[in-house]
Amino acid sequence: MIGVTALLALAMLPNQANFAKLDPVPFTQVAIRDRFWSPRQETNRKATVEHTLRMLEKAGNFLVMRLAAEGKREGYQGLLFTDSDLYKSLEGISYTLATHPNPALAKRVDEIIAMIAAAQQPDGYLDTWYQVTRPDQKWTNLRDNHELYCAGHLFEAAVAHYRATGKRNLLEIALKLATLIDKRYGPSGSVAYCGHPEIELALVKLWKATGDDRWFALSRRMVENRGSGFFAEEHRTPREAYDGTYWLDDVPIRDHRDIKGHAVRAAYLLAGTADIARETEDSGLIRMLDRVWRSATERRIFVTGGIGPSGSNEGFTVDYDLPNLSAYQETCASIAMALWGHRMALLHGDARYMDAVEKALYNGVLSGVALDGKSFFYVNPLASQGNHHRQEWFGCACCPPNVLRTIASIGGYAYATSRGSLYVNLYVGGSVKASLGGRPVRMDVATNYPWDGKVALTLRDAGRFALRLRVPGWCAGPTLRLNGKTIANPRRERGYLVLERGWSAGDVVVLDLPMPIVQTQAHPFVKENLGRTAIERGPLVYCAEQTDNSVPVEEIVVPRGASMKAAFRKDVLGGVVVIEADATKVAAPDWARTLYQPIPMAEKVTAKLVPYGFWDNRKPGPMAVWLPDSPPPARVLGPEGSASVSLSFRSGNANPRGVNDGIEPGSSGDQPAALCHFWPHKGGEEWIAYQWPTSKPVRGVRVYWFDDTGRGECRLPATWKLQTKQGDEWSDLPISVYPIELNKWCEVTFPTVSTTGLRLVIRQREGWATGVHEWKVLLDDD
């Protein structure tokens, strides 16, 4: 009979049937030679690296290091975590040096490292924001001030540089700081962790590079104590009154059920936790990771592979909240999703995790950088009115160096090994050098993926092992040939086709992955995409850009089952597969002053679509991923429909035309495709103005307020009023009561005024922004 203790021990073990513990093949063992990633890596190495170094100088990243080295107490530039941007850049540059040695660039890196060494204090402390601006407040706000986050990125950069060059100059700086952190927060110190997870996965890298178990133990300690109430204590808040959701600090680490809070922090924490779970085989951590993975991929991920719908918290709101025009989908969040998904694939040996990694890398990540490698998206919406564009850098510049390091090391996602298997996770042309049980395994790969699904793999070494070829979730009916002979009904395990045999040098395996064009529909609970489809081919999501289409993007309708064709166009975006779909042009009917009208004849058009990861590299214009599959809903427009609209402030995802597009909201909480709002401006006065070329006899207005409680920062206004325009002057209307209510029209009437303009003046509540679904104008003959 098994005793209670033994039963408890068995209960703590992971399910071995779902636990693989694969080892990734380092990107340095993967040579990429293809038409897709090779050009992007070359641009990354030549253009993005130089651009990044220029921007770091311009933004003050080098300046603050010099200030810290000189002991200065003024002159700091940038945000409090600016050091992390420099460290990520060094990591990415080191990756390029590992694959393409460059003595001149290596010398510049050594000069930067010397600058960092000079800034480090004798006890190992290194954080320029604290050293220059608040030297007496170190370690006092780990939740908000990113000391450990910056340290983590230093550790990653140090490991990358050490592995690339063999030099220990940056590694010694990292080890000195790590030793200080371990003294404070290791086994003999206090319980603590960072408000922005990152150090957890970085410490695991440091452990693997040095073999020093302290770093793994410290990472594990931080992971396992998360949710213990440290932040509540740090900020002197009663635990029962403290909400740690934003920092994933609301419950003990093993109790999480949903992905939540800040998207990048969440995925970084989960990636680090997966690293710990892989080594410890902790069943509680593994079960939590599996639950939260399902939450993310079944209810909270964009079709483009990114995460985080809301700009107000740069993260999550509620299930199925996946907007298009206002989608946040931070570039760093897509990268974080790839990092976490890759670790889950290594943990379980299941192809479905690599499906998510592939989707993020080919869509949400690639959209984050222009084809020239010199401008970047921070926010990646799934629709644009033509006013969202990449920038050369950002005040919060986390995304550009994150893209740099990701593209430089992309080969590290492609292969993995177990004791007797070589896993092919991404199909990238070139070659790989792996090791199975100390035995070399070399393989050449020829493919035009993702434009074509044919992959030829040539073995260069003899030996017995299993070759495991991932079958992407989007692919049905793959075929497999070995040395020219079709293999009928190959073995399939966890999403991989398995060929286990004694191999001879020169054996050729040809995998053919059919790539049909697919119309994808969203879950019915994703309200914004009801009646819409997205078009995909292989791992790529497509979008319609105005520059390719002769009719307005917003009027393109692609019916379900429409005929489509794909063709490679070397003259488009450097060479991409373009999809052409049989579509119709249907403008929404205008129901102003009419009860009946004939159904307009749909105009047949050809919709042209390009990969989402390549959009906004040509002439600016509207873009949409989700296209209607039937005519748009009816609009009821009054005189507001013919007015020009202007705002006191407009952010990148605010659409002034949303306020007079005639689409009736169902409730204040609806999230329409086009929305007029003032976020991130909070508090203070803002306004929306209608203007007409000729006077209108206005007798009233109706306003429907927007409110995104539970997922954003728009609330009802504190007050509002109306102004009319006479000549060039605006004057208040004498109205005593302005109603402010949720989920209904707020109407005011007044004696008829003849005017060429109306202005809706809003006093926002302190700490909150305001949004308006619709603002209708009533004329005296209505």
Side-chain angles (χ1 to χ4, degrees):
M1 180 178 290
I2 301 177
V4 173
T5 301
L7 284 172
L8 289 173
L10 286 171
M12 286 298 292
L13 290 173
N15 181 349
Q16 294 298 322
N18 294 314
F19 186 65
K21 202 171 181 179
L22 308 183
D23 294 307
V25 176
F27 75 92
T28 50
Q29 300 301 107
V30 179
I32 296 178
R33 296 181 296 274
D34 68 0
R35 294 170 62 183
F36 190 88
W37 286 111
S38 287
R40 300 306 287 259
Q41 285 198 314
E42 184 176 10
T43 299
N44 191 57
R45 189 177 74 254
K46 294 181 178 179
T48 306
V49 166
E50 289 300 322
H51 177 80
T52 296
L53 290 171
R54 286 195 300 273
M55 290 297 104
L56 290 172
E57 181 68 59
K58 183 178 179 180
N61 296 75
F62 300 143
L63 168 67
V64 298
M65 280 292 169
R66 290 190 286 266
L67 293 175
E70 295 167 4
K72 297 292 179 63
R73 296 293 178 265
E74 58 184 11
Y76 187 89
Q77 292 183 18
L79 300 176
L80 57 88
F81 48 84
T82 193
D83 291 353
S84 66
D85 299 331
L86 172 58
Y87 299 148
K88 272 186 286 189
S89 300
L90 287 177
E91 180 187 356
I93 293 170
S94 296
Y95 290 154
T96 70
L97 291 174
T99 56
H100 294 79
N102 182 329
L105 181 59
K107 182 175 183 293
R108 293 168 70 183
V109 169
D110 283 339
E111 291 169 353
I112 296 170
I113 293 172
M115 186 191 310
I116 296 170
Q120 188 170 36
Q121 297 185 331
D123 66 350
Y125 187 85
L126 181 59
D127 187 288
T128 62
W129 187 75
Y130 272 106
Q131 289 171 243
V132 176
T133 70
R134 292 163 175 77
D136 58 338
Q137 297 178 30
K138 301 171 186 172
W139 312 118
T140 58
N141 190 352
L142 296 184
R143 188 190 72 179
D144 301 324
N145 289 352
H146 290 65
E147 276 164 294
L148 295 177
Y149 170 80
C150 290
H153 277 301
L154 171 62
F155 300 163
E156 287 201 86
V159 170
H161 183 258
Y162 171 61
R163 292 194 185 280
T165 66
K167 297 177 183 177
R168 295 182 62 92
N169 47 352
L170 188 57
L171 184 63
E172 292 299 334
I173 297 170
L175 291 172
K176 197 173 178 181
L177 176 56
T179 299
L180 175 64
I181 294 170
D182 188 58
K183 287 179 180 177
R184 293 188 64 89
Y185 305 122
S188 60
S190 57
V191 169
Y193 37 85
C194 187
H196 196 311
E198 203 284 336
I199 191 173
E200 298 84 355
L201 65 87
L203 283 166
V204 173
K205 287 187 177 183
L206 196 61
W207 165 61
K208 290 182 177 180
T210 64
D212 191 332
D213 291 342
R214 285 184 298 166
W215 314 135
F216 180 83
L218 180 57
S219 175
R220 183 177 184 180
R221 178 176 167 86
M222 289 179 174
V223 166
E224 294 194 340
N225 280 293
R226 200 169 195 92
S228 64
F230 165 63
F231 291 154
E233 179 183 341
E234 182 184 65
H235 289 264
R236 299 177 179 85
T237 304
R239 183 62 193 270
E240 61 274 11
Y242 184 76
D243 182 5
T245 302
Y246 177 78
W247 303 274
L248 281 88
D249 190 48
D250 53 326
V251 296
I253 189 68
R254 293 175 179 81
D255 292 347
H256 286 288
R257 305 200 66 82
D258 297 307
I259 196 162
K260 65 182 78 166
H262 186 278
V264 180
R265 299 175 196 229
Y268 277 3
L269 174 63
L270 294 162
T273 302
D275 281 339
I276 299 300
R278 180 184 182 279
E279 302 301 328
T280 62
E281 304 184 7
D282 185 312
S283 63
L285 291 180
I286 293 172
R287 284 195 295 268
M288 180 278 293
L289 288 165
D290 291 344
R291 283 196 307 270
V292 178
W293 180 266
R294 290 193 298 272
S295 165
T297 58
E298 294 174 9
R299 301 184 294 278
R300 298 190 174 188
I301 194 169
F302 289 100
V303 71
T304 44
I307 52 175
S310 172
S312 63
N313 66 344
E314 293 192 317
F316 300 98
T317 55
V318 296
D319 288 348
Y320 307 107
D321 179 23
L322 296 166
N324 294 323
L325 189 70
S326 64
Y328 202 70
Q329 194 184 206
E330 183 182 338
T331 299
C332 283
S334 294
I335 292 171
M337 193 65 190
L339 291 172
W340 178 31
H342 187 221
R343 285 162 169 80
M344 293 295 285
L346 298 175
L347 182 66
H348 288 300
D350 194 312
R352 62 194 171 103
Y353 300 103
M354 286 307 302
D355 286 347
V357 173
E358 182 180 67
K359 179 65 76 73
L361 291 175
Y362 280 88
N363 299 281
V365 174
L366 268 190
S367 67
V369 59
L371 287 174
D372 67 1
K374 298 179 183 179
S375 60
F376 310 86
F377 279 145
Y378 191 107
V379 175
N380 295 268
L382 277 73
S384 170
Q385 296 296 319
N387 61 333
H388 186 76
H389 307 295
R390 295 180 183 85
Q391 299 179 38
E392 67 172 10
W393 208 247
F394 303 92
C396 175
C398 52
C399 296
N402 219 353
V403 172
L404 165 62
R405 67 174 184 156
T406 300
I407 292 179
S409 60
I410 202 75
Y413 290 96
Y415 303 95
T417 61
S418 63
R419 182 174 301 174
S421 297
L422 174 63
Y423 288 74
V424 182
N425 286 321
L426 295 180
Y427 296 106
V428 180
S431 60
V432 58
K433 297 177 183 179
S435 177
L436 293 177
R439 200 174 65 247
V441 175
R442 296 173 298 166
M443 185 170 66
D444 295 330
V445 181
T447 183
N448 197 25
Y449 196 92
W451 311 127
D452 185 285
K454 184 178 180 180
V455 186
L457 307 103
T458 303
L459 278 299
R460 294 173 56 194
D461 295 294
R464 185 172 186 85
F465 61 90
L467 180 63
R468 296 176 183 266
L469 306 174
R470 171 177 153 261
V471 178
W474 49 260
C475 177
T479 59
L480 197 60
R481 285 179 290 151
L482 172 60
N483 296 330
K485 296 181 179 180
T486 299
I487 299 177
N489 302 315
R491 194 168 107 219
R492 190 162 180 165
E493 296 177 2
R494 300 187 195 179
Y496 292 88
L497 297 181
V498 183
L499 288 177
E500 187 170 8
R501 65 192 300 271
W503 297 94
S504 300
D507 281 346
V508 178
V509 176
V510 176
L511 173 67
D512 202 339
L513 302 168
M515 282 188 177
I517 302 170
V518 176
Q519 281 182 285
T520 299
Q521 60 183 341
H523 191 286
F525 290 171
V526 183
K527 294 181 180 178
E528 188 164 335
N529 290 329
L530 290 174
R532 294 176 179 268
T533 64
I535 296 173
E536 302 183 70
R537 181 177 181 272
L540 301 176
V541 176
Y542 278 72
C543 66
E545 283 196 275
Q546 192 60 68
T547 189
D548 296 310
N549 292 279
S550 59
V551 301
V553 165
E554 64 183 16
E555 296 182 6
I556 294 175
V557 174
V558 180
R560 297 193 177 206
S563 177
M564 302 187 208
K565 61 182 180 180
F568 186 81
R569 290 277 304 276
K570 64 180 181 181
D571 60 324
V572 177
L573 293 163
V576 301
V577 167
V578 174
I579 291 177
E580 294 187 354
D582 288 348
T584 58
K585 173 185 180 294
V586 183
D590 183 353
W591 288 97
R593 291 179 172 79
T594 182
L595 182 58
Y596 305 104
Q597 58 176 288
I599 297 174
M601 293 293 292
E603 177 186 343
K604 292 183 178 180
V605 298
T606 297
K608 296 180 180 179
L609 301 99
V610 297
Y612 172 80
F614 290 69
W615 84 277
D616 195 45
N617 277 287
R618 297 168 296 169
K619 182 179 179 180
M623 177 277 295
V625 169
W626 290 93
L627 300 171
D629 56 23
S630 58
R635 295 183 298 164
V636 181
L637 296 176
E640 69 277 354
S642 62
S644 65
V645 186
S646 57
L647 309 181
S648 54
F649 166 76
R650 178 185 178 182
S651 67
N653 67 358
N655 185 356
R657 301 304 301 187
V659 79
N660 68 339
D661 60 9
I663 299 177
E664 296 263 342
S667 70
S668 292
D670 283 1
Q671 184 79 45
L675 179 65
C676 182
H677 62 81
F678 297 105
W679 186 86
H681 278 196
K682 292 179 278 189
E685 186 175 280
E686 303 289 352
W687 52 259
I688 308 170
Y690 285 160
Q691 295 190 64
W692 298 274
T694 58
S695 293
K696 302 288 184 183
V698 180
R699 66 171 181 85
V701 302
R702 305 171 73 207
V703 180
Y704 205 110
W705 301 105
F706 171 71
D707 184 289
D708 60 359
T709 296
R711 65 180 192 274
E713 295 182 318
C714 284
R715 300 294 185 273
L716 292 174
T719 63
W720 64 287
K721 65 180 181 179
L722 289 170
Q723 294 179 333
T724 60
K725 186 179 184 183
Q726 305 296 334
D728 294 327
E729 300 295 322
W730 294 91
S731 57
D732 293 352
L733 279 168
I735 301 171
S736 58
V737 177
Y738 285 93
I740 303 175
E741 295 185 63
L742 288 172
N743 305 319
K744 64 184 298 185
W745 289 100
C746 296
E747 181 174 322
V748 295
T749 58
F750 42 84
T752 299
V753 176
S754 183
T755 182
T756 59
L758 278 179
R759 192 152 68 180
L760 178 64
V761 181
I762 297 164
R763 172 65 60 179
Q764 302 189 125
R765 292 164 57 189
E766 191 64 31
W768 302 100
T770 301
V772 180
H773 274 295
E774 291 290 316
W775 174 25
K776 292 187 176 295
V777 176
L778 308 177
L779 300 184
D780 67 357
D781 60 345
D782 285 349

